[in-house]
């Protein structure tokens, strides 16, 4: 564990895409009262992997240095996976879970590609690839990691893709309505998307 200036640390860009939140008053108050600084998990190049809300709280409270622990891998796939998996304990909306799933699907695809390349380059590598071959559909593997079904993952990813599409088309009102529905019921939001696609 090392103390680093806050000014040297940067939030991981995917954090804003997945969680889009900041420190709430309760967290700020807790840090202020207890004056206990939990270390942030950072990459070798000082991007935050875990502790974005704490980072925000530390900044708002005027801290200049904070304790940090370096994540042991420099592999971007490992870092992306850790960004999600180190946030398992937090309360999340259905949209946040869907966006976590998108990231983990990207991780699964990248690892599958690495396995395929390793196998093509050396047939014997099948037994020595760093990542185990996962059984079943990627959505089921991701769902298991996030504690939801593969079907929920498939549906919620479809919905966030539609939210992003509507947002990029300037349909912010419809995107907000769909986001609200998603955070209430994944199946209702998925039905709305299916209806939109038919129209």
């Amino acid at each position: 564990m090392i103390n680093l200036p806050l000014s040297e640390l940067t939030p991981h860009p995917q954090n804003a895409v997945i969680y889009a939140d900041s420190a709430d008053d309760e967290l700020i108050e807790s840090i202020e009262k207890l004056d206990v600084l939990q270390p942030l998990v950072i990459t070798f190049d000082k991007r935050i992997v875990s502790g974005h809300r704490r980072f925000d709280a530390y900044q708002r409270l005027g801290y200049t240095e904070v304790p940090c622990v370096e994540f042991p891998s420099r592999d971007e796939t490992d870092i992306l996976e850790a960004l999600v998996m180190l946030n398992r304990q937090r309360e999340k909306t259905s949209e946040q879970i869907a966006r976590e799933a998108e990231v983990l699907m990207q991780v699964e695809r990248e690892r599958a590609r690495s396995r395929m390349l390793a196998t093509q380059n050396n047939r014997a590598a099948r037994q020595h690839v760093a990542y185990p071959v996962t059984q079943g559909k990627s959505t089921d593997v991701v769902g298991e990691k996030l504690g939801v079904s593969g079907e929920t993952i498939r549906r919620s990813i479809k919905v966030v893709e539609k939210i992003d599409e509507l947002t990029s088309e300037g349909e912010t009102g419809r995107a907000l309505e769909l986001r609200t529905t998603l955070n209430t019921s994944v199946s209702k939001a998925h039905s709305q998307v299916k209806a939109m696609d038919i129209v």
Side-chain angles (χ1 to χ4, degrees):
M1 191 161 69
I2 49 168
N3 282 337
L4 288 174
L6 272 174
S7 57
E8 289 183 12
L9 307 175
T10 55
H12 194 292
Q14 276 293 333
N15 187 74
V17 174
I18 299 169
Y19 303 110
D21 61 4
S22 55
D24 57 22
D25 292 339
E26 192 180 331
L27 176 61
I28 292 169
E29 216 174 287
S30 167
I31 292 170
E32 199 170 26
K33 275 183 186 171
L34 300 174
D35 197 32
V36 174
L37 300 187
Q38 278 190 314
L40 305 177
V41 179
I42 61 167
T43 60
F44 65 97
D45 57 357
K46 298 179 184 167
R47 285 172 293 153
I48 301 166
V49 178
S50 176
H52 289 85
R53 288 183 297 176
R54 279 177 278 135
F55 173 73
D56 181 46
Y58 298 154
Q59 282 184 312
R60 286 159 68 178
L61 288 167
Y63 284 92
T64 55
E65 271 195 356
V66 291
C68 298
V69 175
E70 189 176 315
F71 184 66
S73 174
R74 290 180 171 225
D75 182 280
E76 285 302 320
T77 307
D78 291 343
I79 291 167
L80 264 182
E81 183 178 39
L83 182 72
V84 171
M85 300 313 287
L86 291 173
N87 276 294
R88 285 181 74 180
Q89 79 292 347
R90 75 186 283 178
E91 245 180 72
K92 293 174 262 195
T93 64
S94 294
E95 181 182 4
Q96 288 171 334
I97 292 169
R99 295 197 183 278
E100 284 181 332
E102 284 185 313
V103 168
L104 291 180
M105 291 292 291
Q106 182 183 334
V107 166
E108 289 297 317
R109 282 192 295 271
E110 184 56 37
R111 288 192 174 152
R113 194 178 71 75
S114 296
R115 285 192 299 269
M116 187 183 73
L117 288 174
T119 303
Q120 284 175 350
N121 291 340
N122 178 0
R123 293 288 170 200
R126 278 179 206 255
Q127 321 233 315
H128 304 291
V129 176
Y131 304 109
V133 176
T134 51
Q135 299 298 318
K137 294 180 182 175
S138 295
T139 49
D140 294 331
V141 172
V142 167
E144 193 175 322
K145 286 181 180 180
L146 296 176
V148 295
S149 71
E151 184 58 29
T152 299
I153 294 300
R154 283 186 280 282
R155 288 178 175 193
S156 55
I157 285 176
K158 260 267 198 250
V159 176
V160 293
E161 285 172 351
K162 181 56 88 173
I163 289 169
D164 292 344
E165 182 188 313
L166 290 169
T167 303
S168 72
E169 291 170 356
E171 301 261 5
T172 51
R174 289 177 75 201
L176 179 59
E177 183 185 320
L178 189 56
R179 176 177 285 119
T180 304
T181 306
L182 172 62
N183 288 325
T184 306
S185 166
V186 173
S187 58
K188 279 184 185 174
H190 185 252
S191 296
Q192 278 186 6
V193 168
K194 282 186 357 189
M196 286 178 196
D197 289 345
I198 291 166
V199 171

